Amino acid sequence: MNRKSGRQHGEVFTNLNIVHFILDEVGYRSTVDLRNIKILEPAAGEGVFALEIIKRLKDSSTKFGFDFFDALNNQVCFVEIDDESFQILKSNVIQLIKGFDIPWQDLDDRLFINENYLKLEFSGQYNCIFGIPP
């Protein structure tokens, strides 16, 4: 069953101003050394949080001199259940990363998970988990 605003899983997409506010409030800012902050988004949708997280991680890596690609592959995870949103998410993230001139083809499979978050088991802990209810 498809819903008017959000395909079959009832997605409601977050406004970019809200994304900025939430990331700022939890201290996920590019002015902070983010190399050891593990972050999980269990309902990544098409990537509004993902893109901002990646931009901030990239800026932080430049400012604090750590390996952006390593941090991205080991500190960040985006989960999305909806197949269509998942493909858009991956495409949006890859387009952004291509602009950074890094080997996007070598992105770790753990960065994107196309599953039901509630049925997954994660190893390790996360510093930030973003779950925005509609």
Side-chain angles (χ1 to χ4, degrees), residues 6 11 13 19 26 29 57 61 67 71 84 87 100 123 125 134:
E11 299 104 330
F13 301 110
V19 171
V26 301
R29 298 182 175 114
L57 184 62
S61 73
D67 186 322
E84 186 177 340
Q87 292 307 318
F100 297 151
S123 61
Q125 296 179 335

Side-chain angles (χ1 to χ4, degrees), residues 26-122:
V26 301
Y28 199 86
R29 298 182 175 114
S30 57
T31 57
V32 174
D33 187 342
L34 299 174
R35 82 179 84 205
N36 295 317
I37 305 296
K38 274 190 92 168
I39 193 164
L40 168 67
E41 189 184 0
E46 296 178 359
V48 68
F49 267 97
L51 297 176
E52 188 62 24
I53 288 166
I54 292 168
K55 288 174 188 174
R56 290 177 182 213
L57 184 62
K58 176 66 171 139
D59 290 346
S60 178
S61 73
T62 301
K63 180 176 178 86
F64 293 97
F66 63 87
D67 186 322
F68 164 73
F69 195 70
D70 181 61
L72 180 63
N73 273 331
N74 294 299
Q75 301 299 107
V76 181
C77 180
F78 304 116
V79 180
E80 176 53 48
I81 190 173
D82 183 79
D83 293 334
E84 186 177 340
S85 290
F86 181 77
Q87 292 307 318
I88 294 169
L89 166 70
K90 282 184 74 172
S91 176
N92 288 340
V93 168
I94 288 169
Q95 289 297 21
L96 175 63
I97 292 173
K98 281 181 178 180
F100 297 151
D101 197 30
I102 60 171
W104 62 271
Q105 301 91 335
D106 296 333
L107 287 172
D108 195 295
D109 289 339
R110 296 173 295 173
L111 179 62
F112 304 105
I113 300 174
N114 186 203
E115 299 283 338
N116 182 341
Y117 165 76
L118 298 174
K119 295 180 179 180
L120 293 174
E121 291 186 32
F122 293 92

Side-chain angles (χ1 to χ4, degrees), residues 7-22:
R7 293 192 283 282
Q8 71 179 6
H9 297 287
E11 299 104 330
V12 176
F13 301 110
T14 307
N15 181 292
L16 189 56
N17 291 332
I18 302 298
V19 171
H20 290 171
F21 174 78
I22 290 171

